[in-house]
Amino acid sequence: MVIFRKKKETDESKRIVQLTIVQGNNDTDDNPGKVFNLHPGNNLIGRDSFCEVVLNSGTVSRRHANLKVSYDKKKFSVIDFGSANGVIIKPSTILKKGKMFIKSGDEIQVGEILLKLLAIDQDKAHQTEAIDIKDLLVQLKDKNQK
């Protein structure tokens, strides 16, 4: 006999972490509303194409900063790599060659680009589900006949 057990979903799989451009520069394709999905571990921010968050503005260093996401996706820290402009954690903290813990909803400014960190919890009600159209039509037909 073979028993298949459904893998239990963890809180980690139900949480999405995103960095969204709030104020950007349309000339450099750093448009407001652009979203970067972050993963647990290091997420480099800069102009370098190897960064997870690529910003094209000349006010952003090639490797400007690192946004570190904990493996449970509940703790976040930003580390400035000694960039010329530093990292501003809104409203008024300037970070240069240092590390600071931040939380979901915080805004950080990298060069001229303002970014917002969001951790979004997803529950089963909001997940997409595949439905066979034939089954749906049968259910509707049965419902209308009652």
Side-chain angles (χ1 to χ4, degrees):
M1 178 185 346
V2 177
I3 298 174
F4 292 99
R5 194 173 289 173
K6 185 177 178 182
K7 185 177 178 183
K8 182 180 176 187
E9 285 189 11
T10 63
D11 288 338
E12 177 184 321
S13 65
K14 294 180 184 179
R15 182 170 274 221
I16 296 172
V17 181
Q18 297 177 329
L19 201 56
T20 304
I21 297 178
V22 176
Q23 292 176 350
N25 183 337
N26 292 336
D27 295 336
T28 61
D29 197 33
D30 298 319
N31 302 322
K34 187 174 186 178
V35 176
F36 300 93
N37 290 314
L38 305 179
H39 56 80
N42 296 313
N43 294 274
L44 297 177
I45 302 170
R47 286 192 339 258
D48 194 325
S49 62
F50 291 109
C51 293
E52 283 76 16
V53 179
V54 178
L55 303 171
N56 299 308
S57 170
T59 61
V60 177
S61 299
R62 287 192 197 292
R63 294 193 181 187
H64 199 105
N66 181 28
L67 201 154
K68 190 167 188 173
V69 177
S70 67
Y71 286 97
D72 63 2
K73 298 180 182 177
K74 293 182 179 180
K75 296 177 187 169
F76 316 97
S77 62
V78 64
I79 303 163
D80 178 66
F81 290 146
S83 60
N85 296 319
V87 175
I88 300 170
I89 291 93
K90 294 293 183 172
S92 61
T93 304
I94 299 174
L95 186 64
K96 285 199 172 211
K97 285 190 177 182
K99 175 180 178 178
M100 183 171 177
F101 287 98
I102 60 175
K103 61 187 182 317
S104 179
D106 283 352
E107 293 182 337
I108 61 172
Q109 186 169 336
V110 179
E112 67 180 336
I113 311 298
L114 182 63
L115 303 157
K116 185 169 190 163
L117 175 70
L118 285 176
I120 304 162
D121 290 320
Q122 303 235 321
D123 61 2
K124 197 132 180 118
H126 293 105
Q127 293 178 353
T128 304
E129 185 177 323
I131 298 174
D132 186 359
I133 192 71
K134 290 177 186 176
D135 292 340
L136 184 60
L137 290 172
V138 169
Q139 288 175 10
L140 287 172
K141 185 178 178 184
D142 291 344
K143 185 177 179 181
N144 288 334
Q145 290 178 351
K146 288 181 183 180

